[in-house]
């Protein structure tokens, strides 16, 4: 009976929920998600809701590393971009509903193709998360870590903040956007090598 269904779980769990809700959602229901990758999500929507015109992928670009109800914030989406990713079957009414949802939260909606979305967020979100993990892992593995950790201040904290990303969410992002994340990691490695030569 719901008019609007918002699926807000780690990416791989979206597939499970789409399968579960498929028999229950009405033909006029608008369904969207908040997943960090979109190509696989749209494929799952096609698999489990093959005739539904109300599914529209979504990704509010306002992530936090903190999770749970106590980490909630009424202005989380204010000023953020909310990427709207329709399927080939998404109705104009469904797209308008998701755009209105984004704007009601204070975000600016932005229409995008799924592959384009995944390539771009790999650059500005997924690769930085993976790079932060590599930096922290490298330092933590050092025999000097007990001393290094005492000296680590704001710069190190800023550079490694994304390592606090929920592990399930980080895993799902890496699995569903492996190719694009790998591409940007390779470009980052190239930039680091160039920087090393300049130093």
């Amino acid at each position: 009976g719901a008019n609007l269904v918002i699926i807000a779980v780690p990416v791989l769990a979206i597939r499970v929920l789409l399968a579960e809700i498929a028999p229950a959602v009405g033909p006029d229901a608008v369904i969207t998600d908040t997943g960090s990758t979109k190509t696989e999500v749209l494929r799952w929507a096609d698999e489990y809701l093959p005739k539904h015109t109300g599914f529209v992928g979504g990704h509010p670009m306002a992530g936090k590393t903190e999770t749970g109800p106590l980490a909630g914030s009424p202005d989380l989406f204010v000023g953020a971009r909310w990427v709207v990713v329709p399927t080939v079957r998404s109705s104009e009414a469904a797209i308008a509903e998701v755009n209105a949802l984004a704007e009601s939260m204070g975000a600016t909606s932005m229409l995008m193709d799924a592959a384009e979305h995944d390539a771009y967020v790999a650059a500005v979100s997924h690769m930085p998360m993976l790079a932060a993990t590599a930096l922290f892992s490298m330092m933590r593995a050092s025999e000097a870590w007990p001393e290094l950790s005492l000296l680590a201040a704001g710069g190190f904290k800023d550079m490694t903040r994304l390592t606090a990303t929920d592990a399930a969410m980080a895993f799902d992002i890496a699995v569903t956007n492996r190719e694009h994340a790998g591409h940007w990691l390779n470009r980052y490695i190239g930039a680091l090598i160039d920087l090393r030569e300049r130093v």
Side-chain angles (χ1 to χ4, degrees):
N3 294 320
L4 175 63
V5 178
I6 304 170
I7 301 173
V9 294
V11 177
L12 292 178
I14 293 172
R15 182 178 192 175
V16 176
L17 286 181
L18 284 171
E20 287 182 0
I21 69 171
V25 291
D28 298 322
V30 174
I31 306 160
T32 190
D33 74 296
T34 61
S36 301
T37 61
K38 294 273 76 81
T39 302
E40 287 298 298
V41 171
L42 264 61
R43 188 174 66 79
W44 298 330
D46 188 53
E47 180 180 353
Y48 295 108
L49 303 166
K51 296 179 180 178
H52 205 286
T53 60
F55 183 86
V56 180
H59 183 196
M61 301 296 295
K64 293 172 64 174
T65 54
E66 299 85 2
T67 60
L70 296 179
S73 170
D75 60 353
L76 177 63
F77 303 113
V78 174
R81 293 284 179 176
W82 192 305
V83 185
V84 177
V85 186
T87 72
V88 294
R89 286 184 311 281
S90 300
S91 69
E92 288 186 19
I95 296 168
E97 180 78 18
V98 176
N99 282 329
L101 169 68
E103 289 163 15
S104 74
M105 299 287 186
T108 301
S109 62
M110 182 176 183
L111 269 168
M112 199 173 273
D113 169 80
E116 181 183 39
H117 165 276
D118 288 359
Y120 290 172
V121 297
V124 298
S125 180
H126 305 164
M127 185 278 289
M129 177 188 68
L130 295 168
T133 301
L135 173 61
F136 183 81
S137 297
M138 177 190 71
M139 292 297 182
R140 184 69 179 84
S142 170
E143 291 181 3
W145 176 246
E147 291 77 25
L148 291 171
S149 65
L150 297 176
L151 299 174
F156 186 76
K157 182 178 180 181
D158 290 345
M159 289 287 290
T160 58
R161 179 185 67 83
L162 293 175
T163 61
T165 301
D166 176 76
M169 190 167 75
F171 176 85
D172 290 6
I173 287 169
V175 167
T176 59
N177 208 17
R178 178 183 291 117
E179 183 178 340
H180 291 302
H183 167 81
W184 287 104
L185 280 171
N186 284 334
R187 290 186 66 167
Y188 186 50
I189 290 165
L192 286 172
I193 291 170
D194 181 61
L195 181 60
R196 182 188 65 192
E197 297 307 313
R198 291 172 182 268
V199 170

